[in-house]
Amino acid sequence: MQEIIQKDQSIFLFLNNMGSESFDQLWLMISATWIWIPLYVIFLYLLFKNFKFRNIVFILIFIALGVTVSDQLAGIFKTGIGRLRPCHDPALTGIMRSVQCGGQYGFYSSHAANTFFIATFMTLLLNKKYRFFPYILFSWAIIVSYSRIYLGVHFPLDVLMGALMGFFTGGFFATLALKVIHKQNRSNSTTSVLE
């Protein structure tokens, strides 16, 4: 385990020290939530375009539930495991670039979990209509996740674990949403046939 942690630290230092002050503001923006509001509006537009209003209500409920679960799980892991963020790790003082810092503990990354959750969820809902969509979504999730290493707030393993958790929770909640939608559509078509 100690060997894995040391390898994780050395990969972190390599990636983090590739940064440059002239790009710090760009990566701070990429890591911020507000900058992606136009992207979330596009997601909403695509949902409205491809699903009935009644189904969208269920989809939004499952997204809200999934992001909450993803976020809460990250919080439980952070306090339960208690791995210091790079910016709080005394062993890395003076040998890393700390552009931003967060709470004391960082395993695992909420940013990675939430972006991979959304990427997986939206892919499973829309990839039959838009074949290119997963490439855009997962590129976005990877870029946001990398920003956390660049800024000095997460180790690569924090990001990797967050991405895996987001991927699995996204898959789980998307499957639930699709089941509800199919059931809803079946009951609607049965009702219309009976009428």
Side-chain angles (χ1 to χ4, degrees):
M1 193 63 191
Q2 195 58 40
E3 217 174 291
I4 293 167
I5 289 167
Q6 283 174 352
K7 190 76 179 163
D8 190 33
Q9 285 179 340
S10 63
I11 294 167
F12 165 78
L13 287 169
F14 172 75
L15 294 172
N16 172 260
N17 283 307
M18 281 172 58
S20 157
E21 262 185 63
S22 49
F23 290 104
D24 288 353
Q25 283 307 311
L26 171 69
W27 287 101
L28 280 165
M29 276 190 351
I30 287 169
S31 199
T33 307
W34 62 268
I35 197 78
W36 299 110
I37 289 170
L39 184 65
Y40 301 141
V41 171
I42 292 167
F43 292 165
L44 267 178
Y45 167 74
L46 292 173
L47 290 174
F48 274 98
K49 193 178 171 188
N50 291 283
F51 294 95
K52 295 172 185 169
F53 179 76
R54 199 175 188 180
N55 293 335
I56 289 167
V57 171
F58 287 114
I59 289 167
L60 293 177
I61 288 168
F62 280 112
I63 289 173
L65 279 171
V67 169
T68 304
V69 166
S70 176
D71 223 40
Q72 292 306 306
L73 276 174
I76 291 165
F77 268 79
K78 279 174 187 165
T79 52
I81 291 175
R83 186 185 190 192
L84 292 172
R85 288 181 189 269
C87 52
H88 288 300
D89 191 335
L92 301 178
T93 305
I95 56 170
M96 64 163 280
R97 296 182 75 251
S98 184
V99 183
Q100 190 184 48
C101 204
Q104 195 173 7
Y105 303 121
F107 186 86
Y108 57 88
S109 166
S110 304
H111 274 70
N114 291 336
T115 52
F116 271 88
F117 169 86
I118 293 167
T120 307
F121 190 98
M122 294 299 289
T123 291
L124 290 173
L125 260 67
L126 295 169
N127 77 324
K128 286 180 184 172
K129 299 268 185 180
Y130 310 102
R131 292 286 176 192
F132 61 90
F133 208 43
Y135 301 105
I136 294 168
L137 287 169
F138 285 103
S139 297
W140 163 69
I142 289 165
I143 290 165
V144 172
S145 298
Y146 170 74
S147 74
R148 308 305 287 163
I149 297 168
Y150 180 99
L151 297 173
V153 290
H154 284 294
F155 289 105
L157 275 180
D158 303 345
V159 168
L160 184 63
M161 181 65 173
L164 288 171
M165 291 298 282
F167 181 78
F168 288 119
T169 52
F172 175 73
F173 281 97
T175 304
L176 287 181
L178 287 168
K179 279 187 178 177
V180 169
I181 289 165
H182 291 314
K183 193 175 178 182
Q184 197 73 31
N185 291 345
R186 269 204 310 272
S187 68
N188 286 346
S189 59
T190 307
T191 307
S192 60
V193 166
L194 291 171
E195 287 170 354

